[in-house]
Amino acid sequence: MQFIRQFGTIVMVALLLGACTSTYVSTEAGGVEETNIHLQQTKAVLVTTPTDGSYEKTLYNGSGISVAQRTDTSFSRYASRVSVYPSEYHSIKELSDTIAKDDYGYIVVPTITHWEHRATAWSGLPSRASIKLTVLDAKTGKEISSTVVEGKSASFTLLRTSPEDLLPGLIDHYVDTLYGQNPDITTKQ
């Protein structure tokens, strides 16, 4: 009987430890990573709000604003000022008045490419998120950096998981790189 209790305890500890193992991957698409230029902390950043993410036939209302807010929070750790533009990015021309009025240096355009919320605790299927982050020079519209960051939650956990829970690990590490820091994230080239 003692053996069964010990075995049960070991299994429970393993499951709880597995809850802390989300994985993240970054795929470079150009810009800063290739030219070794880092963003200037003195320049203000304007973050656009992406369209809400979906998976199969399910639309995840509010996911776009969640991504924009997390992007704002991540850039706020370095940039002199960060604001969220309340709608999707279409063109520099569309934003020209806002850029001129508030003197932004960079525009960050997040795009949700995959948003999959799973009931991981009972299904064993991980939640997943994939965000494309493009940084543009606000004055010229030239692309400075473009990267796709992807993450998935642990497959076996007793805790609730969601794509929102993955956002800090996805976005913070990428922003660290933009400002010259060295994140712990796997990078594909």
Side-chain angles (χ1 to χ4, degrees):
M1 193 60 141
Q2 181 69 13
F3 174 75
I4 293 173
R5 279 191 206 140
Q6 287 176 341
F7 181 74
T9 302
I10 290 170
V11 169
M12 187 62 91
V13 168
L15 285 173
L16 290 174
L17 289 175
C20 299
T21 56
S22 296
T23 57
Y24 304 97
V25 176
S26 174
T27 305
E28 299 172 4
V32 170
E33 299 83 8
E34 294 181 0
T35 61
N36 204 24
I37 297 171
H38 299 294
L39 299 184
Q40 297 174 22
Q41 293 184 5
T42 56
K43 291 188 176 184
V45 175
L46 181 63
V47 176
T48 62
T49 302
T51 301
D52 287 333
S54 62
Y55 179 68
E56 294 178 347
K57 294 180 182 180
T58 304
L59 177 67
Y60 293 98
N61 292 319
S63 58
I65 198 72
S66 293
V67 169
Q69 289 171 343
R70 183 66 229 181
T71 305
D72 175 322
T73 300
S74 296
F75 274 90
S76 292
R77 295 178 303 134
Y78 297 103
S80 61
R81 183 171 39 89
V82 182
S83 302
V84 174
Y85 190 72
S87 65
E88 206 176 344
Y89 173 79
H90 295 287
S91 70
I92 289 286
K93 184 177 180 182
E94 171 192 333
L95 299 177
S96 61
D97 290 341
T98 303
I99 292 166
K101 182 180 92 175
D102 293 325
D103 196 32
Y104 290 101
Y106 305 111
I107 298 171
V108 178
V109 182
T111 305
I112 299 172
T113 59
H114 189 88
W115 198 265
E116 181 180 349
H117 187 167
R118 296 295 193 150
T120 305
W122 61 266
S123 70
L125 299 172
S127 290
R128 298 173 186 268
S130 179
I131 313 292
K132 180 179 181 185
L133 291 160
T134 302
V135 179
L136 306 171
D137 181 292
K139 305 295 186 231
T140 65
K142 181 181 175 193
E143 183 179 291
I144 296 170
S145 176
S146 184
T147 296
V148 176
V149 290
E150 302 171 280
K152 71 176 182 173
S153 67
S155 295
F156 298 103
T157 178
L158 300 176
L159 305 174
R160 179 184 162 283
T161 66
S162 73
E164 287 92 350
D165 298 335
L166 298 170
L167 293 178
L170 289 171
I171 299 171
D172 289 359
H173 293 302
Y174 173 63
V175 173
D176 290 344
T177 300
L178 291 173
Y179 285 97
Q181 303 301 312
N182 295 318
D184 295 328
I185 191 168
T186 304
T187 304
K188 292 182 185 178
Q189 293 188 17

